[in-house]
Amino acid sequence: MLTHSRQTGVARNARVVATVILALSFSLACSADQPTSSPAAAAGAAAVPAGPPPTVEQLAKKVDCKPQIQVDAVDIRTGACKTSVGQFFISTFVTQSGKDQWMDQAPEYNPHLVGELWTVLGARKVLDELRVTLGGDLHLTDHRVSPTPTPPAG
């Protein structure tokens, strides 16, 4: 359970990341409707081995990027990357709870690639390519949205 000061820190960090991501979303021309560009991406990537969660730097190295760290907080780290594939942000989290809180704060920044205690945000085409190397699940919609509309209260 997080203390009030820890919750405030997590919320502040989530706002900082959301601001950085918003800036990226304006600079990327992305569409969730774009088709998958490679058969390997469509099939998904190999399973990631168990162990400690990867760092921003470890994930970035796998895709040949030296990240520029944008957020370096206790609960979250975020690095901006630009490779021949495109621009994207890699975020890592200390706990699943921290990742869940972050995802609840910035769900509209679609699409995103989600792994164990990490996320990558970027254009769909970029994420399709990165998924081949990084693995993860591609999230194209807000994970909080119910597929069935809820009737209005009253």
Side-chain angles (χ1 to χ4, degrees), residues 8 11 23 49 144:
T8 302
R144 299 177 303 171

Side-chain angles (χ1 to χ4, degrees), residues 99-123:
K99 180 179 127 185
D100 292 344
Q101 287 179 356
W102 179 88
M103 289 182 69
D104 286 343
Q105 292 291 317
E108 68 273 13
Y109 299 110
N110 292 317
H112 49 281
L113 191 59
V114 179
E116 189 73 28
L117 299 180
W118 59 266
T119 62
V120 177
L121 300 171

Side-chain angles (χ1 to χ4, degrees), residues 3-154:
T3 64
H4 175 69
S5 63
R6 189 116 165 115
Q7 287 175 336
T8 302
V10 169
R12 181 176 50 252
N13 292 339
R15 285 190 301 272
V16 169
V17 171
T19 301
V20 169
I21 293 165
L22 181 60
L24 174 66
S25 68
F26 286 121
S27 67
L28 296 174
C30 65
S31 170
D33 295 333
Q34 293 176 344
T36 301
S37 60
S38 81
V48 178
T55 65
V56 169
E57 291 80 3
Q58 289 168 332
L59 290 166
K61 185 176 181 179
K62 286 183 176 185
V63 294
D64 199 27
C65 173
K66 183 172 171 45
Q68 292 183 315
I69 299 300
Q70 305 290 312
V71 177
D72 192 1
V74 173
D75 299 328
I76 183 174
R77 292 187 75 235
T78 300
C81 277
K82 183 175 182 180
T83 68
S84 61
V85 172
Q87 295 178 326
F88 52 95
F89 286 93
I90 300 171
S91 295
T92 59
F93 306 88
V94 174
T95 64
Q96 183 63 41
S97 173
K99 180 179 127 185
D100 292 344
Q101 287 179 356
W102 179 88
M103 289 182 69
D104 286 343
Q105 292 291 317
E108 68 273 13
Y109 299 110
N110 292 317
H112 49 281
L113 191 59
V114 179
E116 189 73 28
L117 299 180
W118 59 266
T119 62
V120 177
L121 300 171
R124 170 70 189 271
K125 179 181 172 189
V126 172
L127 298 181
D128 285 341
E129 293 294 324
L130 295 176
R131 186 174 183 209
V132 173
T133 304
L134 298 177
D137 296 318
L138 190 58
H139 289 221
L140 299 176
T141 60
D142 185 340
H143 69 280
R144 299 177 303 171
V145 175
S146 168
T148 308
T150 306

